[in-house]
């Protein structure tokens, strides 16, 4: 089996290192000092579960890799539309694209019968640009529960969790999902193939939709947001509205708001990925996390006044970011 990791950042490099440890032929697509460090010394994983070093092939030129069986996307969702030229050289007739993203995926209404079957969400697939670059029939969904960070170029700090749930948009237990999941498990990860990955998407989204934009707007950590009475109440309101949108789409997340809050509080002084991007001057990955839920609420005529207000503020913040500065 040949696997390419496009966007071999904290999660991508960790997954690639685990797969290579399982004997999979892995190719990491990275750039800059991170790429040079991997070429020189491999991916060095530091983990409470045990440190290890993997030496997958690493490059910044996908055409060097050629066709693979699976492409694991470690890119941010707001980079998907421009990923086509990087993906194309690595495709054969049955290559899958395993998208490890936060928020609502571009394939959300693909694969299952519903009144919205085939509907394109403008926030996550503007003008059809993402589905043109990443055809929905190739897509396998992925919800990441593992937490990692790049502590230095080529060095991945595994903080907690080893679960990455995957699933077909149509809910089937496909051979291609099982093949990838088996390799992930052999590499020391948990990789359940879920018959209803949309449930997992909404469970994780409950936290992201509240903590990510609030942290960017306030520069507060997860702990700070939870321990401030006003922002804690704001999180509860945002989660309630998110659950209402999920219910309107016949998805019923089986987790309480209080449990999600307690889990976030246990994360301590952790900066969300959105706050980290803001501090680096990068565009914020909030269309898939927040904007898409507002669009879904419009589609289902669900009242979400708090989410709309926070989305307006986050959009204004994002508009002021100049990534070239």
């Amino acid at each position: 089996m040949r696997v390419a990791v496009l966007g071999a950042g904290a999660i991508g490099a960790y997954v690639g290192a685990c797969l290579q440890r399982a004997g999979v032929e892995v190719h990491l697509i990275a750039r800059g000092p991170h790429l040079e460090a991997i070429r020189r010394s491999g991916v060095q994983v530091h983990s409470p579960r045990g440190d290890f070093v993997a030496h997958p092939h690493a490059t910044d030129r996908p055409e060097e890799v050629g066709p693979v069986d699976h492409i694991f996307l470690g890119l941010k969702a707001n980079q998907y539309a421009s990923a086509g030229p990087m993906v194309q050289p690595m495709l054969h007739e049955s290559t899958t694209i395993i998208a490890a993203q936060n928020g609502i995926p571009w394939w959300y209404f693909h694969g299952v019968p519903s009144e919205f079957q085939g509907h394109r969400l403008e926030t996550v697939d503007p003008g059809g640009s993402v589905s043109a670059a990443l055809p929905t029939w190739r897509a396998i969904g992925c919800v990441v529960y593992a937490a990692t960070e790049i502590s230095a170029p080529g060095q991945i700090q595994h903080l907690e969790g080893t679960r990455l749930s995957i699933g077909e948009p149509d809910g089937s237990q496909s051979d291609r999902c099982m093949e990838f999941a088996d390799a992930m498990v052999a590499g020391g990860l948990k990789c359940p193939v879920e018959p209803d990955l949309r449930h997992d998407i909404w469970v994780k989204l409950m936290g992201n939709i509240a903590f990510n934009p609030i942290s960017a707007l306030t520069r507060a950590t997860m702990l700070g947001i939870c321990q401030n009475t006003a922002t804690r109440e704001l999180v509860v309101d945002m989660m309630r509205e998110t659950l209402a949108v999920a219910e309107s789409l016949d998805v019923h997340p089986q987790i309480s708001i209080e449990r999600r809050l307690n889990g976030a509080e246990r994360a301590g002084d952790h900066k969300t990925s959105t706050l980290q991007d803001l501090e680096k001057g990068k565009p914020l990955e909030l269309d898939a996390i927040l904007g898409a839920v507002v669009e879904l609420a419009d589609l289902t005529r669900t009242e979400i006044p708090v989410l709309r207000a926070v989305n307006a503020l986050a959009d204004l913040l994002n508009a002021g970011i100049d990534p070239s500065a």
Side-chain angles (χ1 to χ4, degrees):
M1 186 170 74
R2 303 184 84 232
V3 175
V5 177
L6 178 55
I11 284 293
Y14 177 61
V15 167
C18 290
L19 287 172
Q20 200 268 345
R21 183 170 61 167
V24 174
E25 182 185 335
V26 175
H27 303 267
L28 303 183
I29 315 298
R31 61 185 180 180
H34 188 53
L35 171 60
E36 294 309 312
I38 293 171
R39 282 172 164 168
R40 184 172 59 250
S41 307
V43 179
Q44 301 182 50
V45 176
H46 307 282
S47 170
R49 295 165 56 85
D51 299 347
F52 69 97
V53 180
H55 296 272
H57 171 243
T59 181
D60 56 0
R61 300 177 64 243
E63 60 271 21
E64 256 184 37
V65 176
V68 297
D69 302 304
H70 304 281
I71 299 172
F72 183 89
L73 279 189
L75 303 172
K76 293 293 180 72
N78 53 8
Q79 299 173 303
Y80 284 5
S82 61
M86 293 182 287
V87 167
Q88 194 62 41
M90 299 187 292
L91 297 177
H92 59 55
E93 65 278 2
S94 59
T95 302
T96 72
I97 296 172
I98 300 165
Q101 69 162 96
N102 287 322
I104 302 296
W106 82 101
W107 52 260
Y108 190 85
F109 288 120
H110 172 72
V112 292
S114 82
E115 62 178 303
F116 304 117
Q117 185 169 3
H119 181 85
R120 179 177 60 80
L121 291 169
E122 185 66 21
T123 41
V124 295
D125 190 8
S129 56
V130 174
S131 52
L134 311 172
T136 52
W137 67 268
R138 293 188 183 272
I140 291 175
C142 179
V143 177
V144 178
Y145 295 96
T148 58
E149 63 184 20
I150 298 176
S151 53
Q155 299 196 36
I156 305 300
Q157 182 65 52
H158 172 225
L159 303 172
E160 64 176 356
T162 59
R163 179 179 161 202
L164 291 88
S165 298
I166 65 172
E168 291 283 0
D170 67 1
S172 64
Q173 298 281 307
S174 67
D175 290 342
R176 64 185 195 169
C177 272
M178 297 308 298
E179 176 187 57
F180 186 77
D182 288 346
M184 294 278 277
V185 171
L189 300 173
K190 296 176 182 176
C191 191
V193 178
E194 299 290 353
D196 183 8
L197 194 69
R198 289 170 181 80
H199 176 271
D200 286 51
I201 287 169
W202 284 98
V203 168
K204 186 171 184 187
L205 184 57
M206 281 176 65
N208 287 146
I209 202 169
F211 290 103
N212 286 48
I214 292 173
S215 68
L217 290 164
T218 64
R219 309 245 176 182
T221 65
M222 304 268 277
L223 182 64
I225 294 168
C226 288
Q227 291 189 340
N228 178 280
T229 301
T231 52
R232 189 180 182 96
E233 290 176 357
L234 179 60
V235 168
V236 170
D237 289 340
M238 293 176 74
M239 287 185 177
R240 281 178 180 153
E241 291 184 359
T242 301
L243 286 174
V245 178
E247 295 280 348
S248 75
L249 293 165
D250 200 29
V251 180
H252 312 284
Q254 300 300 307
I255 187 168
S256 72
I257 289 174
E258 195 59 32
R259 183 177 171 188
R260 289 299 274 119
L261 274 166
N262 291 339
E265 193 165 5
R266 285 195 300 272
D269 283 315
H270 170 70
K271 294 182 179 180
T272 69
S273 59
T274 304
L275 176 54
Q276 293 177 48
D277 284 345
L278 178 67
E279 292 178 340
K280 295 172 184 173
K282 294 181 178 180
L284 308 182
E285 186 192 25
L286 287 178
D287 280 344
I289 291 172
L290 178 54
V293 177
V294 174
E295 186 175 353
L296 288 169
D298 289 338
L299 197 63
T300 60
R301 297 182 176 85
T302 305
E303 293 296 321
I304 53 160
V306 178
L307 289 177
R308 287 188 190 282
V310 175
N311 187 51
L313 295 173
D315 276 351
L316 183 59
L317 175 64
N318 204 16
I321 296 172
D322 180 2
S324 64

